[in-house]
Amino acid sequence: MTEAPRESAERSERSLNFIEQIVEDDLASGKHGGRVHTRFPPEPNGYLHIGHAKSICLNFGLADKYGGQTNLRFDDTNPVTEDTEYVESIKADVRWLGFEWENEFYASDYFDQLYEFAEKLIREGLAYVDDSTSEEIAAQKGTPTEPGQESPYRSRTVEENLDLFRRMKAGEFPDGAKVLRARIDMASPNMHFRDPIIYRIKHAHHHRTGDKWCIYPMYDFAHGQSDAIEEITHSLCTLEFIPHRPLYDWFIDKLAIFPSRQYEFARLNLTYTVMSKRKLLQLVNEGHVNGWDDPRMPTISGLRRRGYTPSSVREFCDRIGVAKRENLIDVGLLEFCIREELNKTASRVMAVLDDKPLKVVLTNYPEDKREVLRIENNPEDQSAGEREVPFSREVWIEREDFMENPPKKYFRLFPGGIVRLKGAYIIKCDEVVKNEAGEVTELRCTYIPESRSGSDTSGINVKGTIHWVSVADAVEAEVRLYDRLLTVEDPSAEEGDFKEFINPASLLKVRGLVEPSLRSSVSEKPIQFMRKGYFCIDPDSTAERLVFNRTVTLKDSWAKETKKA
Ligand code: ATP
Ligand code: MG
């Protein structure tokens, strides 16, 4: 483990979650010789998402807490959807989250062993080759309340089954011509016990084993056995696998292999997004987003590009905890976690985000005068120091910080009104300049020389402070403002395709005029654009044009809006 998950005093005192309780009971009873060995088993068919982060934090966190180990195992038994691009991204994402695995394994490394297991079942009369079509098999399956029917191929002899299975492996049959099924109980109330398919024929190239195999094991026949081969003590998966557990145990029992045990926890579901890789892949392939790492995606790479930190994601996983019941977590909690952290760590800078900013001309400020103001980087952190911010006769402000006919209690700029330019001077708006279309183009103001921040002797009390950027020094940028990917909280509760609910305003690009201090800081460091939110630099940035992503707003504006509605 490169870095331990946050264990604040407060948190280490929290009560054990139910999985920790199981582990502690097992340790107390001496099961597995006091060993804890978990695994994180992604299928390399997509990029990891925040739901996977929960599973990663849980598996690596348990091993960390109890002095155990965690394997990274690629569950690569489906050659058609898997790819090495995904393998590399998964490794990078797990490491980014701050975890290091004990062993890197691939289920495909076990194909020979799994094949032997299958022959063993055949020899014991516990598996048979079925020539039925998938439709026939489905029709024979029965329903949870009605028993299924036995396949006409169920009583094949061991010799015949062995011969057919070897010929399946040798490539004699086309895809779908035959399957290998476990011979269990077609009347079992558990549908997974009704002679589940354990091998199918697929003449497909595998990203690791190439063309060696044309039969591939099914999930249920690969997963538990892989756990057993690696001597995993606690195999954690999500609740949908509860009905698979008896089958998991059945294979382990019949094959007499290491007794790994499966435990299930609630998967993470998050509001206003989708989390299945299949759906995320659709978003990518159909161009609804710009790739897996689009900052609107709930993928780890998307969150990273959005400006999330590993510690904020771990903090989130810690706060949501581990439950036995499905629930839907408010994405606001994820945003809260990053906001809290960035409040402490982000440098404050000024940026005017406006496609049509307003120019303020300080008529009593000498034309050739330049000042360099020193403004503190983070009021929450004295050690963050100060930076230099140039000030001159002309500054940009945002159009929304001025109103020609303001309502009562408007504390920003209006004709005759005063406001403080953050870190600089108090100014008074004397004159509004408009173009022929009647649009305000410029504000002519006077500044109060004695009101300079830090040495203000003016005695004037101003209610409003606005941010600004010196016209002569402003650096052009593109600023990307993100909002929820979907317009509905829970797309699974809605009728119709989830893509109908894509938020058309999920990405807004605006022009930014930023402080020159940012020109040199094309770095990983998080920043706060004062009054605007927390931002990070996007890899699309070039020397000529900086691109910023808004990680999160300063406050939870969404909660306010939904309350209003
Ligand atoms: P998806 O449905 O998104 O494709 P998956 O379960 O098929 O997910 P895998 O790559 O098989 O994805 O998952 C690897 C591990 O991550 C599994 O142990 C799985 O239980 C866990 N996992 C996947 N999604 C979530 C989630 N939303 N919350 C918690 N754990 C998850
Ligand atoms: Mg899966």
Side-chain angles (χ1 to χ4, degrees):
M1 200 120 331
T2 49
E3 208 182 329
R6 298 308 73 146
E7 274 287 325
S8 67
E10 167 206 352
R11 218 149 271 129
S12 56
E13 278 167 26
R14 71 156 160 67
S15 56
L16 299 179
N17 67 47
F18 80 97
I19 293 178
E20 289 168 332
Q21 191 60 61
I22 290 167
V23 170
E24 296 210 352
D25 291 347
D26 288 347
L27 289 174
S29 72
K31 196 169 166 185
H32 307 303
R35 214 166 47 79
V36 175
H37 203 143
T38 59
R39 87 286 172 263
F40 173 62
E43 187 180 345
N45 62 351
Y47 281 59
L48 296 182
H49 51 61
I50 180 83
H52 293 114
K54 172 173 177 175
S55 175
I56 292 168
C57 289
L58 179 61
N59 279 294
F60 283 89
L62 272 182
D64 187 40
K65 181 164 180 182
Y66 297 105
Q69 302 185 335
T70 304
N71 292 347
L72 174 61
R73 182 201 312 143
F74 291 98
D75 200 349
D76 58 349
T77 54
N78 184 359
V80 185
T81 53
E82 295 162 2
D83 199 272
T84 33
E85 174 197 345
Y86 299 133
V87 169
E88 293 312 316
S89 76
I90 288 169
K91 291 201 274 185
D93 287 350
V94 174
R95 287 207 172 103
W96 178 78
L97 275 173
F99 298 106
E100 192 55 59
W101 46 93
E102 203 62 38
N103 303 291
E104 178 179 328
F105 289 138
Y106 294 79
S108 57
D109 291 341
Y110 309 140
F111 281 170
D112 286 294
Q113 175 74 76
L114 294 170
Y115 178 85
E116 292 305 319
F117 286 156
E119 282 213 353
K120 178 175 166 148
L121 290 184
I122 294 173
R123 279 196 299 276
E124 293 178 12
L126 295 173
Y128 62 96
V129 173
D130 194 332
D131 300 2
S132 306
T133 62
S134 52
E135 292 76 25
E136 285 164 344
I137 291 175
Q140 293 160 3
K141 211 99 229 211
T143 67
T145 50
E146 277 167 71
Q149 289 154 29
E150 296 189 353
S151 161
Y153 302 97
R154 200 173 197 261
S155 48
R156 277 177 163 155
T157 62
V158 167
E159 290 66 36
E160 193 184 358
N161 281 319
L162 269 182
D163 173 59
L164 288 171
F165 189 48
R166 286 174 187 166
R167 287 163 60 194
M168 278 167 66
K169 179 188 177 213
E172 280 188 35
F173 309 112
D175 289 6
K178 290 180 175 16
V179 290
L180 184 70
R181 296 175 75 176
R183 195 170 191 275
I184 311 181
D185 179 5
M186 288 306 289
S188 171
N190 183 334
M191 300 293 282
H192 296 277
F193 263 32
R194 296 187 185 178
D195 291 8
I197 296 172
I198 58 180
Y199 263 93
R200 68 209 146 137
I201 301 172
K202 224 170 215 177
H203 291 268
H205 189 84
H206 187 278
H207 75 111
R208 295 191 88 235
T209 57
D211 297 315
K212 177 175 174 192
W213 295 91
C214 63
I215 56 170
Y216 290 94
M218 302 298 286
Y219 172 88
D220 283 319
F221 195 68
H223 201 88
Q225 283 81 325
S226 301
D227 286 341
I229 291 168
E230 296 174 18
E231 303 199 341
I232 297 302
T233 57
H234 299 83
S235 174
L236 311 177
C237 62
T238 43
L239 296 179
E240 335 60 285
F241 290 95
I242 290 178
H244 295 246
R245 192 197 322 133
L247 185 57
Y248 181 105
D249 293 339
W250 190 87
F251 286 129
I252 283 184
D253 179 49
K254 298 300 172 200
L255 295 168
I257 49 182
F258 181 85
S260 296
R261 285 298 305 271
Q262 172 183 308
Y263 302 94
E264 307 87 8
F265 63 96
R267 66 190 298 116
L268 167 64
N269 301 302
L270 206 55
T271 53
Y272 299 105
T273 192
V274 285
M275 205 93 89
S276 106
K277 280 184 279 191
R278 190 175 51 80
K279 290 180 180 162
L280 297 176
L281 187 63
Q282 277 179 47
L283 291 173
V284 172
N285 285 347
E286 296 171 19
H288 300 288
V289 295
N290 303 312
W292 285 98
D293 69 345
D294 185 300
R296 290 167 291 181
M297 292 279 271
T299 50
I300 305 222
S301 49
L303 291 169
R304 175 164 62 228
R305 186 163 181 180
R306 175 87 170 244
Y308 275 78
T309 58
S311 47
S312 65
V313 175
R314 291 194 305 255
E315 173 68 20
F316 170 72
C317 292
D318 203 20
R319 281 175 181 266
I320 56 177
V322 186
K324 275 195 220 182
R325 215 149 337 120
E326 286 292 348
N327 55 3
L328 182 64
I329 302 284
D330 185 349
V331 69
L333 178 62
L334 180 63
E335 294 172 348
F336 171 84
C337 290
I338 187 67
R339 191 183 285 123
E340 286 282 285
E341 182 178 316
L342 295 182
N343 181 40
K344 295 185 199 116
T345 58
S347 289
R348 275 62 170 165
V349 295
M350 293 192 282
V352 169
L353 309 188
D354 200 330
D355 289 333
K356 283 185 170 180
L358 264 184
K359 187 185 276 185
V360 168
V361 180
L362 303 174
T363 50
N364 59 338
Y365 195 93
E367 290 208 20
D368 51 359
K369 185 171 170 181
R370 288 280 299 276
E371 277 177 88
V372 176
L373 306 171
R374 299 195 64 81
I375 302 184
E376 66 180 341
N377 284 325
N378 187 352
E380 302 285 321
D381 176 10
Q382 290 311 308
S383 71
E386 294 178 336
R387 69 186 184 289
E388 297 188 336
V389 184
F391 185 78
S392 60
R393 180 181 155 94
E394 294 186 344
V395 300
W396 294 116
I397 65 167
E398 279 169 22
R399 195 159 283 265
E400 62 169 39
D401 283 337
F402 169 79
M403 268 182 112
E404 200 168 5
N405 299 298
K408 269 191 192 149
K409 299 208 171 171
Y410 183 80
F411 297 132
R412 289 169 276 168
L413 209 50
F414 53 89
I418 56 168
V419 80
R420 174 174 292 283
L421 294 178
K422 174 74 192 172
Y425 297 94
I426 295 172
I427 63 167
K428 173 162 180 280
C429 178
D430 305 316
E431 189 190 341
V432 178
V433 182
K434 293 183 183 176
N435 64 14
E436 277 152 25
E439 262 180 345
V440 178
T441 53
E442 193 177 291
L443 303 177
R444 297 185 70 80
C445 302
T446 37
Y447 87 112
I448 299 171
E450 311 81 65
S451 69
R452 183 166 154 158
S453 291
S455 55
D456 181 0
T457 55
S458 70
I460 301 172
N461 184 17
V462 275
K463 287 238 167 67
T465 298
I466 63 174
H467 61 280
W468 53 274
V469 175
S470 159
V471 170
D473 305 279
V475 174
E476 286 274 351
E478 176 183 309
V479 180
R480 298 177 183 170
L481 306 175
Y482 299 100
D483 202 345
R484 313 272 144 104
L485 182 57
L486 302 180
T487 53
V488 293
E489 251 193 6
D490 182 5
S492 71
E494 309 286 333
E495 276 177 38
D497 186 57
F498 78 96
K499 285 173 288 174
E500 287 167 27
F501 305 110
I502 293 176
N503 178 3
S506 61
L507 167 60
L508 210 69
K509 292 182 182 177
V510 296
R511 178 182 175 198
L513 292 157
V514 306
E515 276 184 28
S517 68
L518 285 173
R519 201 200 310 264
S520 55
S521 71
V522 184
S523 71
E524 308 282 289
K525 277 181 46 192
I527 43 180
Q528 183 197 95
F529 287 161
M530 295 173 67
R531 305 172 64 216
K532 294 280 136 183
Y534 295 101
F535 290 78
C536 68
I537 197 98
D538 188 84
D540 283 348
S541 296
T542 60
E544 290 74 46
R545 191 164 124 282
L546 297 177
V547 178
F548 293 96
N549 292 322
R550 184 167 66 196
T551 309
V552 69
T553 53
L554 292 180
K555 293 211 181 77
D556 188 354
S557 59
W558 192 273
K560 247 187 288 163
E561 265 169 51
T562 40
K563 252 178 234 137
K564 259 191 278 166

